[in-house]
Each structure stands twice: as C-alpha cells, then as structure tokens.
Amino acid sequence: MTMFLRKHFEGNIINNIYTYNLDRTIVFETSGFNEIGDNESKKLIIELMGRYTNLIVVKNDIIIEAFKHIGPLDGNRTILPG
C-alpha cells in the first residue's frame, strides 16, 4: 500500500482538505502530473471508524484502490476497485 500511495501521490499538491458530512471521514483533494505528464486530480479518503478504518484512493469518482476491500456480501456497502 505504501508503494501504491507513493506512486499516485508523490509530487502532488494538496488543494483542499475537508470532512464529509461532519463524519469521521477526511478527504484530501490533490492535483499533480501522471507518468505521461498530464495533469490529473485524485482524492485520498480516510475513514476513521475503529476496526473499519480504511484508506480509499479515488480518481474521476472511480475507486482506484482501497486498503480494505468490502464486497457486497461483507456489509451494507461495497468498496472495491472500479
């Protein structure tokens, strides 16, 4: 996970930090350049909920990766790449 975060966020600039609906979720909005040199925006969402704590990387409102994958049979929500 550390190498994944380094690959996607190294050299990015944090544009905005906010909480989602005053909940225990912090969103970091970043922008930077990808390998090709195109400018792109990504979000790092941190959910602080005890044993359900999770890191989620989002690009264009699509989940790229999550620290803990939650399938449709595991709980009341689904967190899977894509």
Side-chain angles (χ1 to χ4, degrees), residues 12 17-19 23 25 27 42 45 49-50 63 73 75 78:
N12 281 14
I17 301 172
Y18 59 91
T19 59
D23 201 4
T25 304
V27 180
K42 293 181 187 167
I45 303 170
M49 295 185 278
I63 297 175
L73 302 176
T78 302

Side-chain angles (χ1 to χ4, degrees), residues 11-60:
N12 281 14
I13 297 172
I14 298 174
N15 297 325
N16 197 6
I17 301 172
Y18 59 91
T19 59
Y20 183 72
N21 289 337
L22 299 174
D23 201 4
R24 294 173 287 184
T25 304
I26 303 169
V27 180
F28 293 87
E29 291 183 349
T30 67
S31 63
F33 297 99
N34 61 11
E35 299 86 16
I36 302 171
D38 296 333
N39 193 6
E40 64 182 9
S41 299
K42 293 181 187 167
K43 293 180 186 177
L44 176 64
I45 303 170
I46 302 171
E47 297 178 319
L48 303 169
M49 295 185 278
R51 65 180 230 190
Y52 300 106
T53 297
N54 205 353
L55 286 172
I56 304 168
V57 178
V58 177
K59 179 178 143 186
N60 298 330

